[in-house]
Amino acid sequence: TTSGNTTVDVIPAPEFTQQPQPTQTVCLDGSTTDLTVSVQNFVGTATYQWFENSVPSNTGGTLLTETSSTFTPPSTPTGTKYYYCEVSFSEGGCTLITSNLAQVDVVPDVEITTDPIVSQDLCVGGDSSELTVTHTTGVGTPYYQWYRSIDNGVTYTAVTGENLISFTPPTYTTVGTYFYYVSVDYDGSGCDAVSSALAQVNVLSDPLLTLNISTQQLCLGSTPTDLIVTATGGADPSSYTYEWYDASDTSTPVGTGSTYTPPTVPVGTTDYYVVVTTTASGCSTTSGNTTVDVIPAPEFT
């Protein structure tokens, strides 16, 4: 007797038609992209099992609870993890197949490592020092926005057009205290914006000068009254510098210090003035003139 036919259908071995995304980087707690596999050429039911590994290998990983063709990798804690999927088949003797590795890098949120200058003093019309920050790297492209407060830190508004890592405050025409900070943000998934510490700019009035005498008339060779200037404002008084000038020749100072003793030789009228400067930018004031009139010594007529 000859039996009927029995058929053996040998198909190609199973293979992946879709591998998981090879690499992705997100910030801590960001949204990761799903890892997905697809297979073809198998008999029966395909069973999926995902694994996690701390080294770049698709063997020896830790068994996960994920058993579908799609898996969403976690975004915590920070560090690098590797994932792969093993697919087995219920019938046909099809050999288990293992996907390629998917690398997921989870990086910390951006952190400011160097804040801008905490405080600086300058006078009206002076130049501010540049404000800048340094920070750790996030994911994607960094974006910067500087903010300013002109009401002593009560409210802050974005400074139009200031979108770089560094910013130089403008030249001020009004006395006051101004505060600045920069917000740093990356456009990668989960990257939260972080703000720098405040930078304070103190805009002061120029030194106010008072001379002790406006004019004096003296005999030739006599002892004059010292010219004394009193300076207030501008900055720390310990940083004041004084330069006295003969108004008829301003090329070289004739004296320094807050006190100047004018000569009483030769006969003639000389106007003097003093320039007081501080170390803060723009802090300089020129006094009005004080006159010394030296007349000839008395003689018998």
Side-chain angles (χ1 to χ4, degrees):
T1 302
T2 300
S3 73
N5 289 342
T6 176
T7 302
V8 178
D9 184 13
V10 180
I11 63 174
E15 61 181 353
F16 289 98
T17 57
Q18 180 178 356
Q19 295 280 2
Q21 178 177 327
T23 305
Q24 58 179 298
T25 305
V26 298
C27 280
L28 183 67
D29 295 324
S31 297
T32 56
T33 300
D34 287 348
L35 305 179
T36 299
V37 294
S38 297
V39 294
Q40 67 179 6
N41 302 331
F42 63 90
V43 178
T45 302
T47 299
Y48 303 89
Q49 179 61 62
W50 288 90
F51 294 82
E52 177 186 276
N53 214 339
S54 58
V55 295
S57 173
N58 58 2
T59 61
T62 301
L63 186 72
L64 300 175
T65 58
E66 303 298 329
T67 56
S68 67
S69 61
T70 298
F71 163 53
T72 304
S75 58
T76 185
T78 58
T80 298
K81 295 293 185 182
Y82 302 90
Y83 299 93
Y84 62 93
C85 183
E86 290 183 351
V87 185
S88 57
F89 307 95
S90 61
E91 298 177 22
C94 296
T95 304
L96 176 146
I97 58 175
T98 303
S99 74
N100 295 338
L101 283 176
Q103 178 178 327
V104 178
D105 298 315
V106 179
V107 301
D109 282 321
V110 181
E111 180 181 348
I112 301 290
T113 52
T114 303
D115 285 298
I117 300 170
V118 174
S119 181
Q120 56 179 302
D121 294 337
L122 60 142
C123 284
V124 169
D127 296 323
S128 300
S129 296
E130 183 181 63
L131 304 178
T132 190
V133 295
T134 60
H135 57 83
T136 57
T137 302
V139 178
T141 302
Y143 293 91
Y144 306 95
Q145 178 61 63
W146 287 89
Y147 292 85
R148 174 177 61 193
S149 171
I150 60 175
D151 57 4
N152 209 32
V154 176
T155 57
Y156 287 86
T157 56
V159 183
T160 302
E162 295 301 334
N163 307 113
L164 300 177
I165 195 170
S166 298
F167 162 61
T168 301
T171 300
Y172 283 98
T173 58
T174 304
V175 172
T177 301
Y178 305 86
F179 294 92
Y180 295 90
Y181 74 89
V182 64
S183 174
V184 182
D185 194 10
Y186 276 77
D187 61 1
S189 176
C191 298
D192 299 321
V194 61
S195 297
S196 72
L198 292 178
Q200 180 174 330
V201 179
N202 303 309
V203 181
L204 312 171
S205 59
D206 287 319
L208 178 65
L209 308 184
T210 303
L211 290 170
N212 64 323
I213 189 169
S214 61
T215 185
Q216 56 182 311
Q217 192 174 49
L218 303 163
C219 282
L220 181 70
S222 64
T223 301
T225 299
D226 287 341
L227 304 180
I228 302 173
V229 64
T230 302
T232 56
D236 181 1
S238 65
S239 71
Y240 290 163
T241 59
Y242 306 83
E243 291 183 329
W244 293 87
Y245 289 88
D246 178 339
S248 65
D249 180 9
T250 61
S251 60
T252 305
V254 296
T256 58
S258 60
T259 299
Y260 173 63
T261 303
T264 54
V265 176
V267 170
T269 300
T270 305
D271 289 325
Y272 297 95
Y273 66 89
V274 63
V275 178
V276 179
T277 305
T278 79
T279 53
S281 176
C283 295
S284 181
T285 303
T286 300
S287 73
N289 288 345
T290 176
T291 302
V292 178
D293 184 17
V294 178
I295 63 175
E299 60 181 347
F300 288 102
T301 58

